[in-house]
Amino acid sequence: MKITVLGAGAWGTALARMLAARKHEVTLWDYFPETVAAIRKTGRNERYLPGIELPAGLQAEADAAKVVGSAELVVVASVSKGFRNATQCLGSFGGVVVSVTKGIEFETGNTMSDILKENSPKARIVAMSGPTLATEVTKGVPTAIVAASGDDGAAQIVQTLFHSPAFRVYTSSDLHGVELGGALKNVIAIGAGVCDGLGFGDNSKAALVTRAIAEMRRLGVACGAQADTFTGLSGLGDLMVTCFSRLSRNRDFGERLGQGEKAEAIVASMTAVAEGYPTARSARELARKHNVETPIMEEVYAMLYEGKDVRQAVQDLTARESKAED
């Protein structure tokens, strides 16, 4: 199959590598010509996946229109902030488009599939999400993921394309639930990292993650998602790995925040994007729009965008009135 991957970050490169290794004709596009030039020259993407060799047949290209025109399937791995711009080249594309980006557009509250419906109205849209750290996937470490779509046939095409013994793919019809789970968990992971930065133990983080699931589910259901999705791979599964792994950018962001660094300085110093930072703002707007209580995400927002002291945020969270578990 002829496949184009839009976005040569760690995750886009890892997926392009996986598909090219299975003898598909894969082209990896990136907005930055210097990234494309480096991949062509070295056969690696040292900026995002250092030390990982890419298959000889994997092509890199900076002309989006050129690579989309000949593709049968497109994978979009752009950062959420650039997703709308990156997908403008898909206006006439009629094949399957797979979003693997985890975010919520602030200005509209749209998920990435909503943006695709606008920018690629002829496409068959699928979102793929789950506990999939790019570095581990490139090493063949077993994991599982969910391909979600309102189009069962499209979800099955993606399942067949990506499925392997080390990369198990399930399907779901809850497109927005899978997307929201993948996006909201990044906000919680920043909070989990704050716990690490403050020197809290496993009890604290386990309590945070457990209560976060209830919070994510509450907001997701208010947005039309299915409740059970948030205890699946794109909810609980992704939440666990992102909150506990030392490879998690969002957890690392929170740890640095907990150690006293300022959010703006952390953002400026990072090579890759920690999607929880912009998503915290989007999630807060969604919660207010739907009148949903999200205390953990509210405190993460306050730490990131209002400069709230991290210890005060924790104190305000734990001092909330006692209630029955929901």
Side-chain angles (χ1 to χ4, degrees):
M1 182 178 284
K2 292 184 178 181
I3 301 168
T4 291
V5 179
L6 300 177
W11 191 216
T13 303
L15 291 174
R17 179 180 182 271
M18 176 196 298
L19 294 169
R22 298 179 189 176
K23 307 305 179 184
H24 294 288
E25 189 176 326
V26 182
T27 302
L28 180 59
W29 170 89
D30 197 71
Y31 177 81
F32 297 102
E34 57 268 30
T35 300
V36 172
I39 292 172
R40 288 176 174 175
K41 181 178 180 180
T42 66
R44 293 183 179 185
N45 188 348
E46 288 293 335
R47 181 175 175 83
Y48 295 107
L49 282 179
I52 303 296
E53 296 286 344
L54 302 179
L58 177 59
Q59 301 296 311
E61 179 59 62
D63 186 337
K66 178 180 177 181
V67 295
V68 167
S70 60
E72 298 172 84
L73 181 141
V74 175
V75 178
V76 188
S78 166
V79 296
S80 62
K81 185 177 180 180
F83 193 94
R84 183 175 290 276
N85 184 58
T87 57
Q88 286 179 350
C89 61
L90 298 173
S92 61
F93 185 75
V96 174
V97 178
V98 188
S99 169
V100 296
T101 298
K102 300 173 182 179
I104 302 167
E105 190 175 51
F106 174 71
E107 294 78 6
T108 63
N110 285 345
T111 64
M112 301 303 102
S113 71
D114 292 327
I115 297 173
L116 283 174
K117 289 172 184 176
E118 295 178 23
N119 284 356
S120 189
K122 299 178 182 179
R124 305 172 70 186
I125 298 167
V126 179
M128 195 162 66
S129 186
T132 47
L133 297 166
T135 301
E136 291 192 0
V137 169
T138 61
K139 295 177 180 179
V141 176
T143 190
I145 196 167
V146 178
S149 179
D151 180 337
D152 290 341
Q156 289 168 11
I157 288 170
V158 173
Q159 181 182 48
T160 301
L161 180 67
F162 284 94
H163 190 90
S164 73
F167 197 82
R168 186 170 179 83
V169 183
Y170 291 84
T171 61
S172 169
S173 60
D174 188 10
L175 177 58
H176 280 151
V178 165
E179 289 186 291
L180 288 171
L184 296 175
K185 58 86 186 175
N186 284 328
V187 182
I188 304 303
I190 291 177
V194 169
C195 291
D196 291 334
L198 290 171
F200 295 169
D202 293 336
N203 286 348
S204 304
K205 194 184 286 189
L208 177 83
V209 169
T210 304
R211 293 309 305 155
I213 296 168
E215 199 166 297
M216 290 165 58
R217 181 175 60 237
R218 222 169 24 240
L219 181 54
V221 169
C223 294
Q226 298 171 18
D228 289 350
T229 299
F230 296 91
T231 54
L233 287 165
S234 66
L236 174 60
D238 209 358
L239 180 67
M240 288 177 63
V241 76
T242 312
C243 288
F244 285 90
S245 175
R246 304 303 297 183
L247 297 173
S248 165
R249 293 191 296 269
N250 291 284
R251 190 215 59 81
D252 180 64
F253 189 115
E255 183 173 18
R256 293 172 63 180
L257 194 68
Q259 291 171 344
E261 292 188 56
K262 300 299 183 183
E264 297 82 359
I266 300 171
V267 171
S269 71
M270 296 184 76
T271 298
V273 174
E275 288 282 9
Y277 180 71
T279 303
R281 198 168 64 128
S282 302
R284 182 174 186 260
E285 287 301 305
L286 273 184
R288 291 190 168 200
K289 176 182 177 181
H290 293 282
N291 195 29
V292 174
E293 188 179 26
T294 55
I296 298 172
M297 287 187 267
E298 186 69 29
E299 293 298 338
V300 171
Y301 172 87
M303 289 186 284
L304 294 177
Y305 291 97
E306 297 176 348
K308 187 171 184 177
D309 178 77
V310 291
R311 291 187 179 276
Q312 185 62 53
V314 172
Q315 181 178 328
D316 289 349
L317 192 61
T318 56
R320 295 175 67 246
E321 184 178 355
S322 299
K323 56 178 287 187
E325 185 176 30
D326 57 355

